């Protein structure tokens, strides 16, 4: 059975207008995901699901097949999970059943081929979906606070006896390096957390998720520092 890769890219980005096709150094942001997908031998075909003609044009230039995303699945409040289901249905209708669903968000240009291959190999009979994680900068068991009636309180008030970061349970941030799942799991459920989720650790220098202009600057700096190496 085949492994199919997807990049989901809406045209209506608010934080950075036209973020997915904004140039990062020498190419559009989405191109980083498409180029690396084309280099992974275990990926048989890659697609871009989008509602935007400009994104379609760029995706075609980099060898992707286009899935026209319905407008109702491309709004700010539209759950991407529904776009995943739509893309899987579309693919099965055109190409038949396949083995692994691979999502490579456009916002993680610093991922490596090894990161993706490790995630693909991590999905097995004991798991339903694989996500990527990195060590969290803040810890809700120790140094995260909320405002309650104008005053600060611990996010997790039951753990007010933890006085050192080293004593707090280890927590992670989810990253957008890759999501790997079984198509039937996505079609038959409503979220990642409906099944058995496996996490693959990613170092911070490759785990950046571009959401604003500051992230763009950091990604540009790190990419220039790393050079063209993509392994």
């Amino acid at each position: 059975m085949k492994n199919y890769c997807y990049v989901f890219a809406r045209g209506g980005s608010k934080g950075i207008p036209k973020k997915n096709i904004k140039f990062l150094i020498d190419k559009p942001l989405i191109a980083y995901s498409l180029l690396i997908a084309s280099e992974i031998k275990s990926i048989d075909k890659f697609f871009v699901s989008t509602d935007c003609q400009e994104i379609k044009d760029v995706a075609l230039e980099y060898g992707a097949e286009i899935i026209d995303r319905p407008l109702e699945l491309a709004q700010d409040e539209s759950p991407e999970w529904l776009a995943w289901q739509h893309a899987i249905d579309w693919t099965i209708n055109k190409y038949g059943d396949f083995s692994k669903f691979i999502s490579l968000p456009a916002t993680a240009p610093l991922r490596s081929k090894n990161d993706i291959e490790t995630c693909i190999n991590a999905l097995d009979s004991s798991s339903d979906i694989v996500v990527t994680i990195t060590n969290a900068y803040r810890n809700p068991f120790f140094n995260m606070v909320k405002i309650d009636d104008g005053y600060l309180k611990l996010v997790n008030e039951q753990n007010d006896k933890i006085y050192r970061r080293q004593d707090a349970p280890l927590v992670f941030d989810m990253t957008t390096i890759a999501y790997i799942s079984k198509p039937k799991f996505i079609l038959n459920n409503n979220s990642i957390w409906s099944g058995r989720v496996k996490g693959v650790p990613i170092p911070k220098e490759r785990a950046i998720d571009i959401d604003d202009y500051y992230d763009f600057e950091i990604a540009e700096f790190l990419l220039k520092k790393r050079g063209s190496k993509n392994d």
Side-chain angles (χ1 to χ4, degrees), residues 6-20:
Y6 302 82
V7 179
F8 295 87
R10 296 188 306 114
S13 173
K14 294 294 191 293
I16 304 177
K18 298 185 178 181
K19 174 176 65 177
N20 291 306

Side-chain angles (χ1 to χ4, degrees), residues 13-195:
S13 173
K14 294 294 191 293
I16 304 177
K18 298 185 178 181
K19 174 176 65 177
N20 291 306
I21 54 175
K22 177 179 171 61
F23 265 64
L24 176 61
I25 304 181
D26 60 347
K27 50 184 168 286
L29 179 59
I30 194 173
Y32 288 87
S33 294
L34 300 178
L35 286 170
I36 205 167
S38 70
E39 296 173 359
I40 304 295
K41 292 182 179 179
S42 60
I43 291 176
D44 296 286
K45 192 179 289 289
F46 58 100
F47 306 86
V48 168
S49 168
T50 185
D51 62 314
C52 172
Q53 186 59 50
E54 289 180 283
I55 293 175
K56 292 176 187 178
D57 293 341
V58 172
L60 288 170
E61 181 182 345
Y62 286 91
E65 184 168 351
I66 303 302
I67 298 175
D68 289 311
R69 191 193 306 197
L71 289 179
E72 64 269 21
L73 300 182
Q75 306 304 309
D76 288 340
E77 66 278 5
S78 302
E80 188 162 294
W81 189 266
L82 297 182
W84 286 12
Q85 291 179 333
H86 172 265
I88 291 170
D89 279 333
W90 184 96
T91 307
I92 291 174
N93 286 336
K94 185 169 184 179
Y95 294 107
D97 290 336
F98 59 103
S99 179
K100 291 181 180 179
F101 165 95
I102 301 157
S103 172
L104 300 182
T107 53
L110 287 126
R111 62 168 70 87
S112 70
K113 289 191 289 185
N114 185 64
D115 293 333
I116 300 169
E117 289 166 342
T118 299
C119 291
I120 292 172
N121 293 331
L123 185 68
D124 54 25
S125 59
S126 66
S127 56
D128 296 305
I129 189 166
V130 172
V131 303
T132 51
I133 56 176
T134 195
N135 288 343
Y137 178 66
R138 294 291 181 183
N139 191 315
F141 294 96
F142 174 66
N143 60 358
M144 290 187 69
V145 296
K146 61 185 177 181
I147 298 177
D148 189 350
D149 291 331
Y151 296 95
L152 295 181
K153 291 186 178 180
L154 289 169
V155 168
N156 196 328
E157 296 180 47
Q158 295 179 344
N159 291 279
D160 61 353
K161 298 298 188 292
I162 296 177
Y163 302 113
R164 303 188 311 155
R165 177 177 52 82
Q166 295 90 336
D167 297 329
L170 188 61
V171 296
F172 302 90
D173 289 326
M174 286 182 62
T175 79
T176 58
I177 298 298
Y179 299 87
I180 318 294
S181 187
K182 301 164 185 174
K184 287 184 179 179
F185 170 73
I186 295 172
L187 291 176
N188 295 327
N189 291 279
N190 297 315
S191 82
I192 289 172
W193 308 109
S194 299

